[in-house]
Short mmCIF file of all heavy atoms in Angstrom, two decimals:
data_model
loop_
_atom_site.label_atom_id
_atom_site.label_comp_id
_atom_site.label_asym_id
_atom_site.label_seq_id
_atom_site.Cartn_x
_atom_site.Cartn_y
_atom_site.Cartn_z
N ILE A 70 98.56 88.15 110.83
CA ILE A 70 97.56 88.54 109.83
C ILE A 70 96.18 88.42 110.46
O ILE A 70 95.80 87.36 110.95
CB ILE A 70 97.65 87.64 108.57
CG1 ILE A 70 99.04 87.66 107.97
CG2 ILE A 70 96.58 88.03 107.56
CD1 ILE A 70 99.47 89.01 107.46
N SER A 71 95.42 89.53 110.43
CA SER A 71 94.09 89.50 111.02
C SER A 71 92.99 89.84 110.02
O SER A 71 91.83 89.53 110.25
CB SER A 71 94.01 90.47 112.20
OG SER A 71 94.27 91.79 111.76
N ASN A 72 93.37 90.46 108.89
CA ASN A 72 92.38 90.86 107.91
C ASN A 72 92.99 90.72 106.52
O ASN A 72 94.10 91.17 106.27
CB ASN A 72 91.96 92.31 108.15
CG ASN A 72 90.80 92.73 107.27
OD1 ASN A 72 90.14 91.91 106.67
ND2 ASN A 72 90.56 94.03 107.21
N ILE A 73 92.24 90.10 105.61
CA ILE A 73 92.72 89.91 104.25
C ILE A 73 91.67 90.48 103.30
O ILE A 73 90.51 90.07 103.34
CB ILE A 73 92.96 88.41 103.96
CG1 ILE A 73 94.03 87.88 104.91
CG2 ILE A 73 93.34 88.19 102.51
CD1 ILE A 73 94.23 86.39 104.84
N LYS A 74 92.09 91.43 102.47
CA LYS A 74 91.16 92.07 101.54
C LYS A 74 91.04 91.29 100.23
O LYS A 74 90.04 91.38 99.55
CB LYS A 74 91.62 93.50 101.25
CG LYS A 74 91.52 94.40 102.45
CD LYS A 74 91.97 95.80 102.11
CE LYS A 74 91.88 96.70 103.32
NZ LYS A 74 92.34 98.05 103.04
N ASN A 75 92.07 90.54 99.87
CA ASN A 75 92.09 89.81 98.60
C ASN A 75 91.77 88.34 98.87
O ASN A 75 92.53 87.64 99.52
CB ASN A 75 93.47 89.94 97.96
CG ASN A 75 93.57 89.24 96.63
OD1 ASN A 75 92.72 88.44 96.27
ND2 ASN A 75 94.63 89.51 95.91
N GLU A 76 90.65 87.88 98.36
CA GLU A 76 90.24 86.49 98.57
C GLU A 76 91.24 85.49 98.02
O GLU A 76 91.32 84.36 98.48
CB GLU A 76 88.88 86.23 97.91
CG GLU A 76 87.74 86.99 98.52
CD GLU A 76 86.45 86.76 97.76
OE1 GLU A 76 86.43 85.97 96.80
OE2 GLU A 76 85.45 87.38 98.14
N ASN A 77 92.02 85.88 97.02
CA ASN A 77 92.98 84.98 96.39
C ASN A 77 94.36 85.04 97.04
O ASN A 77 95.30 84.45 96.53
CB ASN A 77 93.09 85.32 94.90
CG ASN A 77 91.78 85.12 94.18
OD1 ASN A 77 91.07 84.16 94.43
ND2 ASN A 77 91.44 86.04 93.30
N SER A 78 94.49 85.74 98.15
CA SER A 78 95.77 85.89 98.82
C SER A 78 96.31 84.55 99.30
O SER A 78 95.55 83.67 99.71
CB SER A 78 95.63 86.82 100.03
OG SER A 78 96.84 86.88 100.73
N LYS A 79 97.61 84.40 99.23
CA LYS A 79 98.26 83.20 99.75
C LYS A 79 98.38 83.27 101.27
O LYS A 79 98.65 82.28 101.91
CB LYS A 79 99.64 83.04 99.13
CG LYS A 79 99.60 82.84 97.63
CD LYS A 79 100.98 82.84 97.04
CE LYS A 79 100.93 82.84 95.53
NZ LYS A 79 102.27 83.00 94.94
N LEU A 80 98.19 84.46 101.84
CA LEU A 80 98.22 84.62 103.29
C LEU A 80 96.89 84.21 103.89
O LEU A 80 95.85 84.32 103.24
CB LEU A 80 98.51 86.08 103.66
CG LEU A 80 99.88 86.60 103.26
CD1 LEU A 80 99.95 88.11 103.50
CD2 LEU A 80 100.97 85.89 104.04
N LYS A 81 96.93 83.75 105.13
CA LYS A 81 95.72 83.34 105.83
C LYS A 81 95.69 84.00 107.20
O LYS A 81 96.73 84.33 107.76
CB LYS A 81 95.69 81.83 106.00
CG LYS A 81 95.65 81.09 104.68
CD LYS A 81 95.49 79.61 104.88
CE LYS A 81 95.57 78.94 103.53
NZ LYS A 81 94.57 77.99 103.30
N ARG A 82 94.48 84.18 107.71
CA ARG A 82 94.34 84.73 109.07
C ARG A 82 95.13 83.85 110.03
O ARG A 82 95.08 82.63 109.95
CB ARG A 82 92.88 84.75 109.50
CG ARG A 82 92.12 85.87 108.88
CD ARG A 82 90.75 86.03 109.52
NE ARG A 82 90.09 87.14 108.91
CZ ARG A 82 89.14 87.03 108.00
NH1 ARG A 82 88.74 85.84 107.61
NH2 ARG A 82 88.60 88.11 107.48
N GLY A 83 95.86 84.50 110.93
CA GLY A 83 96.66 83.77 111.91
C GLY A 83 98.11 83.58 111.50
O GLY A 83 98.94 83.21 112.33
N ASP A 84 98.43 83.81 110.21
CA ASP A 84 99.83 83.74 109.77
C ASP A 84 100.64 84.79 110.51
O ASP A 84 100.15 85.88 110.78
CB ASP A 84 99.96 83.99 108.26
CG ASP A 84 99.51 82.82 107.41
OD1 ASP A 84 99.21 81.74 107.95
OD2 ASP A 84 99.45 83.00 106.17
N VAL A 85 101.89 84.47 110.80
CA VAL A 85 102.79 85.42 111.45
C VAL A 85 103.93 85.71 110.47
O VAL A 85 104.64 84.80 110.06
CB VAL A 85 103.36 84.85 112.77
CG1 VAL A 85 104.34 85.84 113.39
CG2 VAL A 85 102.24 84.51 113.73
N ILE A 86 104.07 86.97 110.08
CA ILE A 86 105.16 87.36 109.16
C ILE A 86 106.43 87.50 109.98
O ILE A 86 106.50 88.31 110.91
CB ILE A 86 104.82 88.67 108.42
CG1 ILE A 86 103.55 88.47 107.59
CG2 ILE A 86 106.00 89.10 107.54
CD1 ILE A 86 103.04 89.74 106.96
N LYS A 87 107.44 86.71 109.62
CA LYS A 87 108.72 86.70 110.34
C LYS A 87 109.78 87.54 109.62
O LYS A 87 110.65 88.11 110.26
CB LYS A 87 109.23 85.27 110.50
CG LYS A 87 108.25 84.32 111.16
CD LYS A 87 107.93 84.73 112.56
CE LYS A 87 108.94 84.15 113.52
NZ LYS A 87 108.70 84.50 114.90
N GLU A 88 109.72 87.59 108.26
CA GLU A 88 110.70 88.34 107.47
C GLU A 88 110.01 88.92 106.24
O GLU A 88 109.06 88.34 105.72
CB GLU A 88 111.84 87.43 106.98
CG GLU A 88 112.69 86.83 108.06
CD GLU A 88 113.76 85.91 107.50
OE1 GLU A 88 114.22 86.10 106.36
OE2 GLU A 88 114.15 84.98 108.23
N VAL A 89 110.54 90.05 105.79
CA VAL A 89 110.13 90.65 104.53
C VAL A 89 111.40 90.86 103.71
O VAL A 89 112.33 91.53 104.16
CB VAL A 89 109.43 92.01 104.73
CG1 VAL A 89 109.11 92.66 103.39
CG2 VAL A 89 108.16 91.85 105.56
N ASN A 90 111.45 90.23 102.53
CA ASN A 90 112.63 90.30 101.66
C ASN A 90 113.91 90.05 102.44
O ASN A 90 114.88 90.79 102.34
CB ASN A 90 112.68 91.63 100.92
CG ASN A 90 111.64 91.69 99.82
OD1 ASN A 90 110.71 90.91 99.79
ND2 ASN A 90 111.78 92.62 98.93
N MET A 91 113.89 89.01 103.25
CA MET A 91 115.04 88.52 104.03
C MET A 91 115.44 89.44 105.19
O MET A 91 116.51 89.29 105.75
CB MET A 91 116.25 88.26 103.13
CG MET A 91 115.92 87.42 101.94
SD MET A 91 116.58 85.80 102.13
CE MET A 91 116.20 85.11 100.54
N GLU A 92 114.58 90.40 105.54
CA GLU A 92 114.83 91.26 106.70
C GLU A 92 113.87 90.86 107.81
O GLU A 92 112.65 90.82 107.61
CB GLU A 92 114.65 92.73 106.35
CG GLU A 92 115.71 93.23 105.39
CD GLU A 92 115.69 94.74 105.25
OE1 GLU A 92 115.51 95.44 106.25
OE2 GLU A 92 115.86 95.19 104.10
#
Side-chain angles (χ1 to χ4, degrees):
I70 303 297
S71 61
N72 187 14
I73 299 173
K74 293 181 181 178
N75 181 347
E76 294 176 3
N77 298 319
S78 175
K79 297 174 188 173
L80 295 172
K81 297 185 184 226
R82 283 191 178 102
D84 285 353
V85 178
I86 299 173
K87 306 297 273 180
E88 296 178 29
V89 176
N90 287 16
M91 309 253 186
E92 292 191 40

